[in-house]
Amino acid sequence: MKRTLISLFILTFILFCNYGCKKDNLALPDKKELLPSSGSYNLETNENNEDLMVLGPQLHNPYTVANITIALSNLIANEGLGCSSSLFNVRTTHKYVKFMAQNEPQLQILFDDTTLVLFDYPLDREVIVPGVYYRDSSITDTLVPTFQYACDPVNYVFPNEVNYSVLANLYLPEEDELLNTAIQNDSSIDACRDALVDEALLITNNSLEYSAKTNNTTTDKFKTNIFGSRNSWFPSGAIVVFDNRKNQYMPVEGVKVRVRRWFEIREALTSISGYFFIPHKFKRDVNYSIKWERNDFDIRSGFLGQAYFNGPKQSIPWNLWIVSGKSRHYATAHIAAIHYFYYCQGFYLTPPPGNTILDPRLKIAVHTAEEPWYMTGVAATHPGTRVFGAFPVIDLYGGSRRSDFIYGTTIHELAHYAHWGFDPYNYNNDTHSRLRIAESWADGVEWVFAKWRYGSYGDPGDPNFHTGGTNNYQDRTVGDDDVYTSIVVDMIDNQNQQVIPSEHSTYYYLYPIDEVNGYQIHEIEQSLRGVTYWNEWRNNLINNYNNATENNLYALFASWN
């Protein structure tokens, strides 16, 4: 709740789940700054690829059981198969399905199924204009999620709670385990499978993927190998975002990259250095894309649309250079969420609440507006809306700001959300004291994370700087703002505002008496639990931890009263 929010939602109830610091068991990452290698296809984000996706007309599906059967019959009749037709047991191996969830809880049922790879858009239509979100135009009710599409194994058990429609029964030769086993024993069969897929593409008028053969040579870029089958390749690449505080590209860690060729789909997460590798061989072009989601959180394009970035269709590695615009906001917020959710061990902090059966994953809405009319500031957190599921818990604005401020704002809001998670009955802003506690805590966590990532926050020459003016942690006085206080920073750093900087000496009495230092951020968090009054926080610190400067806490806390 960066500054004051006029709440749009009524909080009817709050559920509490207290999680230990256990996710992924990762240490804080090294701040490696690697760029994608040269020689691959690079794509920069721009205003032409950051809007609503535009899809082409529905394509004829080459993988239906009926079309594969026709293709096989054609090859047998023309003696073009090259092996025994008995190797192909054409049957339904998968189902192409459209799910029609009516509300967020139903959608969450689908999200919780780790066997599903869901798409917001149909898989039998080409992406004509790339974009960062998609919503079916036939759904007019803003509370109803857009349709979800998936390719499910034939033995998939559909959830009873969600309506669905089977769009096609599929035979996928590339995913046929019986055929794959036969190819492992005799690699020459692979050429027969290629011929079958080529024929299916040809008869369904998908000529862009068809490989015409003349005198035993192919006319496309996938030359045949010594066994007569197509050459295969592994998708790979890197995702980086321009950080205009560091003035360089930085890796985007932990983002979900998806590659798809019709119904042959694979996913991978980017590494700490922003690289990804798909350990699955493809033989034709694939559609690359990013889906900005993890198990515990997902990033929305506005209030309801899932945020994506849809890349090119190609057969070489894909490097995405996120330069500006919505995608820079998505990427920077994603990095902040990854750090808070999955690297809690580095600071011994409690992570935000995770994805549970009762409460769906955290939704972070990234908006295009710089600052909405109904609030002051660039972000807001309203944890109670998580229990409804359909609405975002965190709203982020101000995407044109500098990268460290976007990162810090996201951390600030996540600190509110984590605070609610570990102390839901006491976290609130219904009194001035509670509001001061909540905002002072979030401001302190924001400073700790941003200082770790950037070395300092805002001014590269001043480790305690925030955004300038009265927002400088060392310049804050009660007269300026007694809600967003610097008290967490004051308990950690070793600078007394009444002395440093020297220009404070004339009006030193306006600044807090800060002769406290050496507290750890996790000690301050643990002492925050159960606190509803300002001085309770102080008393918990004194009672729970030994610190040589603890007696000076009385004067420091009194400075803000």
Side-chain angles (χ1 to χ4, degrees):
M1 66 185 75
K2 202 73 167 179
R3 304 303 183 215
T4 304
L5 169 68
I6 301 176
S7 179
L8 300 179
F9 310 102
I10 298 175
L11 309 185
T12 59
F13 63 101
I14 296 175
L15 298 179
F16 171 50
C17 294
N18 190 9
Y19 292 86
C21 187
K22 59 186 180 181
K23 295 184 179 180
D24 291 356
N25 195 27
L26 300 173
L28 282 172
D30 296 330
K31 290 179 281 186
K32 295 183 179 180
E33 299 162 0
L34 302 179
L35 298 181
S37 59
S38 60
S40 301
Y41 180 84
N42 298 327
L43 178 66
E44 291 188 359
T45 58
N46 60 65
E47 62 183 10
N48 296 322
N49 55 29
E50 287 207 317
D51 214 332
L52 177 71
M53 294 169 53
V54 178
L55 303 180
Q58 184 177 9
L59 301 172
H60 294 291
N61 186 346
Y63 286 99
T64 65
V65 171
N67 284 332
I68 289 287
T69 300
I70 294 171
L72 182 60
S73 297
N74 290 349
L75 291 174
I76 294 172
N78 298 325
E79 298 183 351
L81 187 58
C83 61
S84 173
S85 61
S86 63
L87 292 169
F88 294 94
N89 178 16
V90 179
R91 66 203 184 281
T92 299
T93 59
H94 294 75
K95 293 178 180 290
Y96 175 33
V97 179
K98 178 171 74 172
F99 291 99
M100 296 162 284
Q102 297 302 301
N103 50 51
E104 190 67 26
Q106 289 185 11
L107 185 62
Q108 189 62 35
I109 292 172
L110 300 178
F111 287 157
D112 288 339
D113 187 341
T114 58
T115 67
L116 286 177
V117 180
L118 297 166
F119 290 80
D120 283 12
Y121 49 90
L123 305 183
D124 53 357
R125 296 174 66 182
E126 287 284 358
V127 177
I128 302 301
V129 178
V132 295
Y133 69 100
Y134 181 79
R135 181 170 176 80
D136 194 295
S137 60
S138 67
I139 302 176
T140 57
D141 188 339
T142 57
L143 297 183
V144 175
T146 195
F147 302 131
Q148 300 293 309
Y149 299 85
C151 175
D152 302 322
V154 65
N155 59 353
Y156 176 75
V157 179
F158 291 93
N160 294 326
E161 301 89 342
V162 184
N163 293 330
Y164 66 91
S165 174
V166 176
L167 302 179
N169 291 318
L170 308 175
Y171 173 66
L172 304 182
E174 297 92 342
E175 307 287 5
D176 186 346
E177 292 302 323
L178 295 177
L179 188 57
N180 287 334
T181 299
I183 292 173
Q184 288 177 358
N185 296 326
D186 183 356
S187 57
S188 65
I189 301 173
D190 199 17
C192 303
R193 177 168 61 184
D194 290 346
L196 178 61
V197 174
D198 281 349
E199 181 67 17
L201 292 167
L202 178 63
I203 65 174
T204 53
N205 296 318
N206 291 290
S207 57
L208 291 178
E209 294 194 51
Y210 173 65
S211 168
K213 290 189 176 182
T214 305
N215 297 326
N216 293 322
T217 62
T218 58
T219 59
D220 68 3
K221 55 193 170 186
F222 297 94
K223 304 301 182 182
T224 56
N225 55 34
I226 59 174
F227 300 106
S229 61
R230 287 171 169 265
N231 289 324
S232 58
W233 65 289
F234 294 99
S236 63
I239 312 297
V240 295
V241 60
F242 185 71
D243 188 307
N244 57 5
R245 160 66 191 278
K246 290 178 173 288
N247 198 32
Q248 65 187 65
Y249 284 93
M250 298 292 291
V252 183
E253 178 194 359
V255 64
K256 182 183 293 185
V257 180
R258 308 198 293 184
V259 295
R260 179 180 67 86
R261 200 199 73 80
W262 282 94
F263 306 101
E264 191 178 1
I265 302 163
R266 295 295 186 275
E267 296 179 324
L269 297 177
T270 54
S271 70
I272 192 173
S273 300
Y275 289 93
F276 67 91
F277 176 79
I278 306 290
H280 177 76
K281 292 181 179 180
F282 286 84
K283 293 191 173 187
R284 295 169 180 83
D285 290 346
V286 299
N287 293 97
Y288 284 99
S289 66
I290 287 173
K291 188 176 185 182
W292 295 103
E293 71 166 7
R294 292 296 298 270
N295 182 58
D296 294 308
F297 68 89
D298 78 84
I299 295 176
R300 296 293 184 92
S301 178
F303 283 109
L304 289 174
Q306 173 67 47
Y308 291 95
F309 187 89
N310 284 280
K313 185 176 182 180
Q314 60 191 40
S315 56
I316 55 177
W318 176 48
N319 297 330
L320 176 63
W321 302 68
I322 300 174
V323 180
S324 60
K326 297 175 186 176
S327 292
R328 185 178 76 97
H329 205 171
Y330 297 154
T332 307
H334 169 90
I335 291 170
I338 287 288
H339 288 171
Y340 210 132
F341 268 95
Y342 304 130
Y343 291 115
C344 54
Q345 289 94 332
F347 300 114
Y348 300 99
L349 290 174
T350 304
N355 185 5
T356 69
I357 295 176
L358 294 179
D359 286 341
R361 76 178 87 184
L362 170 66
K363 294 174 178 60
I364 302 172
V366 173
H367 302 274
T368 55
E370 289 302 303
E371 184 174 318
W373 61 268
Y374 54 83
M375 58 181 278
T376 58
V378 292
T381 299
H382 26 83
T385 59
R386 178 174 184 248
V387 299
F388 298 115
F391 303 108
V393 170
I394 293 176
D395 291 294
L396 299 176
Y397 299 86
S400 65
R401 295 177 303 145
R402 211 167 64 187
S403 299
D404 53 340
F405 299 149
I406 294 175
Y407 176 88
T409 297
T410 308
I411 292 292
H412 182 108
E413 303 307 323
L414 287 166
H416 282 312
Y417 185 52
H419 186 179
W420 171 79
F422 66 70
D423 199 5
Y425 302 109
N426 295 297
Y427 171 86
N428 213 321
N429 63 349
D430 58 346
T431 67
H432 188 78
S433 180
R434 284 184 171 186
L435 179 61
R436 177 196 294 163
I437 291 167
E439 295 298 352
S440 297
W441 165 247
D443 249 21
V445 177
E446 175 181 353
W447 173 77
V448 167
F449 272 87
K451 186 180 177 184
W452 162 74
R453 179 166 173 80
Y454 292 98
S456 64
Y457 192 13
D459 182 354
D462 185 348
N464 292 328
F465 193 84
H466 181 217
T467 57
T470 57
N471 282 325
N472 186 324
Y473 289 106
Q474 295 302 102
D475 285 342
R476 294 186 182 182
T477 69
V478 176
D480 292 323
D481 193 339
D482 68 341
V483 172
Y484 292 80
T485 78
S486 61
I487 198 162
V488 173
V489 179
D490 294 338
M491 289 188 284
I492 296 173
D493 73 359
N494 58 4
Q495 290 186 235
N496 184 349
Q497 287 96 306
Q498 291 197 339
V499 179
I500 301 174
S502 59
E503 56 264 28
H504 287 182
S505 59
T506 303
Y507 300 101
Y508 67 91
Y509 51 86
L510 297 176
Y511 300 94
I513 304 172
D514 177 15
E515 295 180 331
V516 180
N517 62 74
Y519 279 97
Q520 301 297 312
I521 189 66
H522 70 275
E523 296 174 338
I524 300 172
E525 181 198 82
Q526 291 299 316
S527 300
L528 184 63
R529 294 172 183 267
V531 167
T532 58
Y533 297 100
W534 187 242
N535 288 336
E536 282 185 284
W537 199 0
R538 175 202 66 195
N539 295 340
N540 286 347
L541 281 160
I542 293 172
N543 293 333
N544 296 337
Y545 299 99
N546 294 321
N547 184 288
T549 65
E550 65 182 33
N551 288 331
N552 298 327
L553 285 171
Y554 292 97
L556 178 61
F557 273 77
S559 296
W560 297 101
N561 266 335

